[in-house]
Amino acid sequence: MKPAVWTGDHFFTGDIACAEGALAAGCRFFAGYPITPATEIAEHMATRLPEVGGTYIQMEDEIASMAAILGASCAGVKSMTATSGPGFSLMMENLGLGICTETPCVVVNVQRAGPSTGLPTLGAQADMMQARWGSHGHYEIIALAPASPQELFHLTITAFNLSETYRLPVLVMADEVVGHLSERVVIPPAAAVKTRERVPASGRRDRYKPFQRGACGVAPMAAAGAGYAVHVSGLTHDERGYPDMSAAGQEKMMTWLTEKIRANRDKIIQTESYRLDDAEIAIVSYGISARSSLAAVDEARAAGIRAGLLRLVTVWPFPEELIRDLAGRVRALVTVELNLGQIHLEVERCARGQAPAILVGHAGGAVIPPEEIVARLSAVSRT
Amino acid sequence: MGIAAEALKDFKGFSLKKLPVEEPLSPGHRACQGCGEVLALRLIMKAIGSNVVVCSATGCMEIITSPYPQTAWRVPWLHVAFENAAAVVSGVEAAYKAMNRKGIIDSPDTVFFAYGGDGGTMDIGLQALSGAMERGHNFVYACLDNEAYMNTGIQRSSGTPYGAMTTTSPPGKKSIGQSTQKKNLPAIAVAHAIPYVATASPAFPVDLMNKAKKAAMIPGPAYLHVYSVCPTGWRHAADQTIQVAKLAVDSKVFPLYEVIDGEYKLSRKVAKPKPVADYLKAQRRFRHLTESEVAKIQAKVDADWDTLVKRCGAEEAPAPAKEDE
């Protein structure tokens, strides 16, 4: 039997690293449904969770899986599900329920090429806008983009910490390549894993209001059955959780849901810069495409092109100010992603015309080769 | 006389000496060696014949018969998504009805056949199936039950029997394997008050084909629950498929019966039942089970059998179809 934090040097896939990251973060409930290329996460959790006192449940579809993790979280347990394209689509309604009811949980999407059945066994990064806007209504979301199995381990922990801190579902937007890639994954000692827990309800039970804001604009959360009266509803609701069917009530709730993320953007957003200080051309990329981009930067530099990379670790919320400032310093912004222009349009929007935004896109099914990026960089550098 | 009984009054069964030659599902597909599921599907197709439109859920039978640009299908065949084979067949049936009515086609006898695995039928596809049965479309639905999600690599479903090992019900110190009892989908189908429900097994091919033909002849929804041995997922040798399927019936684990207009009827009585242990021991997915667990399973099988016999209203079953000629 392995401990919850399986400290040591390992060689395994991103999917396994993701499951281990969840366990290290304190996840003790996983509701799953088989789907390529995310099935291995469910399989690993089915073996591991009973060892650490957790629960694996396989539901009848992804609609139910998403519902189950919300329920587990309401009961006070850190919970997660993992899926891919078609399953992610089925989760969208209940994802919105999690956002509206401010229920912390983690949803992993090991992206494959779509739309529809698409390429079940091959990767893409084409669900990035679905991650942002897939459920109906206006809302803020947090989505992270791991570029390696090691990072998938760490970002799964980060996802749990963010979801507990800000009380919302957090999305880990991996892709088939990162999910199935086997690499070295180092799991630190348990004491070195930093985990965050939701702020519990405290004080007099008769005065508790489940959606009364505290620090960071987030309400302390009572677990169902802990003695506090809770009322949780997907209807527009007030501090008590009771329906408020008015425009004023809607505005109040929407302000809660959006401001807790907007006001904390600086704390949430993570990016990495590589050789950006003197760059003339900045690549913006994330996930597996950022690894191609990393190689492309070095190759371009060797050819005398001053390229640099801004890697988005957090994709949502989008680092708008960072892109705007960068656009003011470089000759061009090149977005590299495994879709036909999703984050590219965000980059173009944030550049505000200061520098041209160029896309190195790909319809999915393969990784973008560094040479393709270098070729584009050299074309841009000649103009 | 009920709808089904009326439609079946001139029914003539198949015999092994005179099986249809046609193979709407052709050889050369990509199923695993010893696949009981594709054998069952082939026999169903032989029984239904070529005047058919087939709708497939996502699953092994979809993948192995349709790797583009090849296909094993000699009849019209559709696959849309995982959960909606029954919704798709509803639409096809409605379209044919409308086109027949408008005189665009003249094809009143086309059979509409949908199939899915246990996951595609009992889990994610149950809502669509229930809707199609409730609306009363004239279609045949077969659940090809191999008792787990085999296409993605052996994950448990609500069709997985108690105690079975799968990758998401791994047995060990904390787990018996699958911890829940298999969902009784034929009973759920019966509860929709549809004219015909039957269970069948490829180990009894004449019985299976007769039931498929009956299902196709009867107007309205018909549901077949077909035991589909999976050597890959059940962990036994590929040449043991028929033996395992026979053991399932002979040990009363998988009884063969029909429900015609709501009336239960045993298709095959089991005079000298084999111990359930014989069935379990034939498959490595059950190898971890202790004697006391086996005894529990035996008791459940016996109780379920008694319930079924009571529903059939008689100990005696009709003479079984001749399988051994």
Side-chain angles (χ1 to χ4, degrees):
Chain A
M1 301 260 276
K2 302 177 194 86
V5 182
W6 189 14
T7 304
D9 264 21
H10 304 280
F11 183 76
F12 48 47
T13 64
D15 279 352
I16 305 297
C18 176
E20 287 298 333
L23 294 169
C27 174
R28 292 295 179 270
F29 183 90
F30 186 99
Y33 193 75
I35 187 163
T36 306
T39 306
E40 294 88 339
I41 301 175
E43 289 180 337
H44 196 68
M45 289 302 250
T47 308
R48 287 283 277 132
L49 273 170
E51 294 182 343
V52 300
T55 301
Y56 170 89
I57 184 167
Q58 193 174 307
M59 301 301 285
E60 68 272 22
D61 56 27
E62 289 89 348
I63 299 172
S65 299
M66 186 69 214
I69 68 166
L70 295 180
S73 181
C74 287
V77 179
K78 290 185 183 176
S79 63
M80 178 170 101
T81 188
T83 191
S84 189
F88 196 56
S89 292
L90 287 180
M91 287 177 182
M92 284 300 126
E93 186 185 7
N94 279 331
L95 179 74
L97 179 64
I99 291 160
C100 187
T101 57
E102 303 189 59
T103 307
C105 60
V106 172
V107 178
V108 182
N109 179 356
V110 187
Q111 294 172 87
R112 67 192 218 186
S116 192
T117 311
L119 299 172
T121 60
L122 297 172
Q125 297 176 299
D127 304 346
M128 301 310 295
M129 276 297 166
Q130 188 183 20
R132 179 66 189 86
W133 295 115
S135 197
H136 57 280
H138 198 109
Y139 56 86
E140 292 290 333
I141 193 83
I142 299 176
L144 312 171
S148 67
Q150 178 72 64
E151 194 175 38
L152 193 37
F153 172 83
H154 283 304
L155 284 189
T156 305
I157 299 173
T158 305
F160 272 100
N161 291 347
L162 290 168
S163 77
E164 293 290 313
T165 305
Y166 297 105
R167 279 192 67 176
L168 82 168
V170 172
L171 309 176
V172 178
M173 300 299 289
D175 61 77
E176 185 274 332
V177 183
V178 169
H180 281 167
L181 190 64
S182 284
E183 281 187 336
R184 184 181 181 209
V185 176
V186 181
I187 299 183
V193 177
K194 288 192 174 60
T195 59
R196 294 287 298 269
E197 315 296 327
R198 63 195 71 173
V199 177
S202 59
R204 283 177 57 170
R205 287 181 181 180
D206 58 336
R207 290 203 183 149
Y208 173 70
K209 291 179 185 162
F211 297 96
Q212 181 82 55
R213 310 284 112 181
C216 301
V218 179
M221 188 170 176
Y228 289 87
V230 291
H231 190 272
V232 179
S233 173
L235 287 168
T236 296
H237 48 263
D238 61 16
E239 290 89 346
R240 302 168 301 166
Y242 292 166
D244 180 346
M245 302 288 97
S246 69
Q250 170 73 0
E251 185 177 354
K252 191 164 83 174
M253 186 187 80
M254 289 298 293
T255 306
W256 295 341
L257 298 185
T258 52
E259 277 308 307
K260 67 179 177 182
I261 304 302
R262 288 182 184 169
N264 293 293
R265 291 166 51 83
D266 293 346
K267 290 185 202 153
I268 296 167
I269 293 172
Q270 288 183 51
T271 58
E272 267 183 21
S273 298
Y274 180 68
R275 303 183 84 166
L276 257 189
D277 287 342
D278 64 338
E280 284 186 343
I281 304 171
I283 298 175
V284 180
S285 192
Y286 54 94
I288 191 65
S289 297
R291 291 180 73 167
S292 302
S293 302
L294 199 67
V297 167
D298 287 342
E299 284 177 35
R301 288 263 174 182
I305 302 163
R306 281 197 288 159
L309 168 67
L310 177 70
R311 184 168 79 86
L312 309 180
V313 178
T314 315
V315 175
W316 307 115
F318 196 69
E320 298 179 355
E321 298 82 2
L322 203 62
I323 299 289
R324 191 183 61 212
D325 295 348
L326 191 59
R329 291 194 278 123
V330 295
R331 283 178 48 204
L333 290 161
V334 177
T335 304
V336 181
E337 57 184 343
L338 279 176
N339 60 56
L340 299 179
Q342 295 188 9
I343 299 305
H344 160 66
L345 293 178
E346 286 296 289
V347 171
E348 188 171 51
R349 174 176 71 84
C350 298
R352 296 188 181 182
Q354 299 173 89
I358 293 152
L359 169 68
V360 179
H362 188 295
V367 173
I368 300 173
E371 307 82 66
E372 201 178 310
I373 305 168
V374 173
R376 187 63 65 89
L377 293 176
S378 73
V380 171
S381 73
R382 285 196 299 271
T383 55
Chain B
M1 198 180 264
I3 295 170
E6 175 72 29
L8 295 177
K9 64 179 191 294
D10 299 325
F11 173 76
K12 284 195 181 63
F14 293 99
S15 81
L16 279 180
K17 282 180 185 158
K18 280 192 288 182
L19 286 183
V21 180
E22 61 181 337
E23 298 281 3
L25 173 59
S26 77
H29 52 71
R30 299 186 184 186
C32 302
Q33 209 175 36
C35 174
E37 188 176 9
V38 80
L39 174 59
L41 188 55
R42 175 192 164 206
L43 293 169
I44 292 168
M45 294 314 302
K46 277 175 93 72
I48 293 178
S50 292
N51 187 8
V52 64
V53 180
V54 181
C55 302
S56 176
T58 299
C60 288
M61 293 304 102
E62 175 235 339
I63 298 291
I64 60 109
T65 61
S66 68
Y68 185 82
Q70 298 162 333
T71 177
W73 292 96
R74 290 170 171 152
V75 292
W77 179 90
L78 292 82
H79 164 257
V80 180
F82 198 175
E83 66 274 22
N84 60 10
V88 173
V89 81
S90 301
V92 172
E93 188 253 8
Y96 268 67
K97 218 190 229 170
M99 289 195 293
N100 275 317
R101 191 181 64 232
K102 292 177 182 172
I104 298 168
I105 57 169
D106 180 25
S107 169
D109 301 323
T110 303
V111 176
F112 306 100
F113 172 57
Y115 65 84
D118 45 298
T121 306
M122 300 163 83
D123 288 346
I124 197 168
L126 184 57
Q127 186 172 333
L129 177 61
S130 178
M133 292 194 294
E134 184 262 335
R135 289 188 301 268
H137 293 282
N138 181 22
F139 73 111
V140 179
Y141 190 99
C143 173
L144 305 170
D145 180 5
N146 59 18
E147 304 196 322
Y149 292 85
M150 299 309 183
N151 182 36
T152 43
I154 325 170
Q155 290 82 36
R156 70 155 295 273
S157 77
S158 60
T160 305
Y162 174 80
M165 176 269 293
T166 72
T167 61
T168 54
S169 63
K173 282 179 188 156
K174 302 278 184 181
S175 164
I176 186 66
Q178 171 82 343
S179 62
T180 55
Q181 298 290 344
K182 186 181 178 77
K183 190 186 279 182
N184 186 348
L185 208 65
I188 294 173
V190 170
H192 285 73
I194 60 174
Y196 190 74
V197 174
T199 66
S201 163
F204 301 92
V206 175
D207 181 66
L208 169 60
M209 289 178 66
N210 284 346
K211 286 168 174 170
K213 191 178 172 189
K214 287 180 188 177
M217 285 169 70
I218 291 166
Y223 176 79
L224 298 173
H225 197 93
V226 186
Y227 184 81
S228 303
V229 180
C230 175
T232 310
W234 297 6
R235 303 288 194 241
H236 60 73
D239 62 1
Q240 294 301 301
T241 294
I242 298 301
Q243 276 79 355
V244 169
K246 276 193 169 146
L247 265 173
V249 174
D250 292 343
S251 62
K252 306 191 288 194
V253 167
F254 191 86
L256 300 180
Y257 59 93
E258 290 174 297
V259 188
I260 303 173
D261 297 318
E263 302 281 327
Y264 278 76
K265 204 169 123 189
L266 264 187
S267 309
R268 196 177 176 85
K269 60 181 175 182
V270 183
K272 287 182 188 164
K274 298 231 166 80
V276 171
D278 289 5
Y279 170 74
L280 300 175
K281 277 178 189 156
Q283 308 162 59
R284 281 200 291 129
R285 64 175 171 156
F286 295 117
R287 69 189 295 191
H288 57 283
L289 295 179
T290 59
E291 271 178 34
S292 69
E293 288 293 344
V294 172
K296 260 163 67 181
I297 294 172
Q298 178 74 58
K300 175 87 168 77
V301 166
D302 290 340
D304 288 350
W305 175 265
D306 289 345
T307 306
L308 179 66
V309 167
K310 274 189 198 120
R311 281 178 183 157
C312 294
E315 282 287 349
E316 289 303 307
K322 286 183 182 170
E323 303 285 359
D324 306 318
E325 283 178 36

